[in-house]
């Protein structure tokens, strides 16, 4: 069993206990959140970057669909080239956001003790 599946299995067992006890009490949640307090700013930046990354990930297929629509409608080649440039810029922005998001994730994860 891999480390990930073992962790998910343990989490599932805790959260679906049938003995009347819930896996997470309010006290446990408060304790977990207390570890995050010193990293509030980094967490907010991380979440914001994750949202931006999600939008950029969706933008590429939407723009590719626009390229297909222009081609089917026998639109101007300039429009296709412009959309291709925008897709390339979105890909570069997505890579940059992804890199910074991973950096923040690592910094937060390494700092919590």
């Amino acid at each position: 069993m891999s480390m990930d599946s073992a962790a998910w299995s343990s989490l599932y067992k805790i959260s679906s206990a049938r003995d009347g006890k819930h896996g997470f009490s309010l006290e446990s949640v408060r304790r977990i959140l207390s570890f995050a307090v010193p990293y509030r700013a980094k967490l907010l930046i991380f979440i914001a970057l994750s949202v931006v990354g999600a939008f950029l990930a969706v933008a590429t297929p939407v723009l590719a669909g626009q390229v297909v629509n222009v081609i089917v409608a026998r639109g101007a080649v300039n429009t296709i080239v412009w959309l291709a440039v925008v897709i390339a810029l979105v890909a570069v922005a997505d890579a940059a956001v992804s890199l910074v998001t991973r950096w923040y994730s690592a910094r937060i994860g390494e700092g919590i003790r």
Side-chain angles (χ1 to χ4, degrees), residues 15-32:
S15 63
S16 63
R18 295 186 182 176
D19 60 359
K21 295 181 181 178
H22 294 288
F24 296 106
S25 66
L26 186 57
E27 180 69 27
S28 295
V29 172
R30 284 185 184 143
R31 185 168 178 260
I32 291 168

Side-chain angles (χ1 to χ4, degrees), residues 17-78:
R18 295 186 182 176
D19 60 359
K21 295 181 181 178
H22 294 288
F24 296 106
S25 66
L26 186 57
E27 180 69 27
S28 295
V29 172
R30 284 185 184 143
R31 185 168 178 260
I32 291 168
L33 290 177
S34 72
F35 291 120
V37 169
Y39 303 96
R40 246 185 319 217
K42 288 181 182 178
L43 284 168
L44 290 174
I45 292 169
F46 172 75
I47 291 169
L49 287 170
S50 296
V51 169
V52 170
F55 279 114
L56 290 172
V58 171
T60 301
V62 169
L63 290 169
Q66 291 298 319
V67 169
V68 171
N69 290 342
V70 171
I71 291 171
V72 169
R74 297 178 192 247
V77 174
N78 290 342

